Amino acid sequence: MNHLPQQVKIVEVGPRDGLQNEAEIISAEVKIALVNQLTAAGFVNIEAASFVSPKWVPQMASSKEVMAGIERKAGVIYSALTPNMKGLEAAVEAGADEVVIFSSASEAFAQKNINCSIEESIARFRDVAEAAKANKMRLRGSISCSFGCPYQGSVSLEQVLAVVGRMRDLGCDEIDIADTIGVGTARHVQSVMQAVAQVYPLAQISGHFHDTYGQALANIYASMEVGVQIFHSSVAGLGGCPYAKGATGNVATEDVLFMMQGLGIQTGIDLNAVVDAGQFISQHLGRKAVSRAGNALAAKRA
Ligand code: HMG
Ligand code: MG
């Protein structure tokens, strides 16, 4: 059996990736309450905000209020998406610990999501990266469509590696290999992660898997087999991407934690507290959580 890591870092992206796709505007108070519950549950990294154009993603327009209202715990990294200098300036003002620049391995998706080519996005990120470093913020890069694109279909390994190289050269402290539409399967994921690890440190690569085709847990396991130790997940399986039609949420955090618990892999996170947070936000949204483990654990309690 392949050696699995003894501990992994779980980045909770529900407050950003999860909620950004909700059509009904959720109040800043509810978002703040959610982030506070997640902080209390023990996450060391929470994606809490997104400083993008409110015309493009209206749900994220309250990011400034959210960042101002949350109770921060020392040592926890609160991240924010920043597609350009306007976003970076807002993130600095809001006191984000980490900013996320995001592009795509697919040209078509970059155009739809950030309204520019991959090359233009990298040019924009140069200033963002420099300003982030000057402000002593962590810098993370996210690469959408690393396993397939809703517009162009298949995406080659060369396309992924080209963007990884650019993000590495911008000084990213971490790079997310994102499966925006959840089409990756275990062997494909392993081959991409192994190839990325040839050009960027394995310990700084993270897996960001949407669970559209039900492959995310298998893909996390497969990634751990090749040494990846950072994964993104969303409480209650919230989410989707507004510019990837039909894409569903990230893998549910509760499901990931249940799997890690069973494997004896440390996360430092209290699964029961995450189940509570998942039930809280799902009740607020008026629907059942998309987490199998979360719903099972909640049912067992009741
Ligand atoms: P654009 O229209 O080309 O930008 O959008 P622009 O520079 O021409 O500006 C147009 C207007 O937007 C102006 O306002 C700007 O001030 C404003 P106006 O003069 O018309 O009133 N604007 C901003 N406002 C606030 N914050 C900003 C900002 N920038 C410009 N930062 C832009 C280009 C990148 C801004 C736009 O395309 C955008 O906001 N895109 C973001 C889309 C997005 O958030 N997608 C979801 C997140 S990514 C994701 O979910 C994938 C991920 O999870 C990984 C995966 O799963 O694949 C990370
Ligand atoms: Mg995503």
Side-chain angles (χ1 to χ4, degrees), residues 77-78 88 91-92 95-99 128-140 171 173:
I77 296 165
Y78 297 93
L88 185 279
V92 170
D97 303 294
E98 176 182 74
V99 293
V128 176
E130 205 172 289
K133 299 280 171 193
N135 283 282
K136 304 211 174 346
M137 294 160 122
R138 270 177 64 92
L139 178 69
R140 169 147 62 83
D173 298 300

Side-chain angles (χ1 to χ4, degrees), residues 11 32 46-47 50 92 106 131 138 145 147 150 153 157 196-197 214 225 236 299:
V11 180
I32 290 165
I46 301 172
E47 211 168 84
S50 182
V92 170
S106 137
R138 270 177 64 92
C145 300
F147 305 96
L157 184 56
V196 172
E225 282 194 328

Side-chain angles (χ1 to χ4, degrees), residues 16-17 208 210 250:
R16 194 282 302 172
D17 205 342
H208 177 107
H210 285 262
N250 298 84

Side-chain angles (χ1 to χ4, degrees), residues 16-17 20 51 53 55 84 86 113 115 144 180 208:
R16 194 282 302 172
D17 205 342
Q20 72 178 8
F51 293 107
S53 163
K55 286 182 191 143
N84 52 24
K86 188 163 180 161
N113 195 39
N115 204 25
S144 287
T180 314
H208 177 107

Side-chain angles (χ1 to χ4, degrees), residues 12 39 42 60-62 70 113 127 144 175 233 266 274 281 284:
E12 171 58 51
T39 298
M60 290 289 112
S62 57
I70 56 175
N113 195 39
D127 290 344
S144 287
I175 295 180
S233 63
Q266 302 300 315
V274 180
I281 192 64
H284 182 81

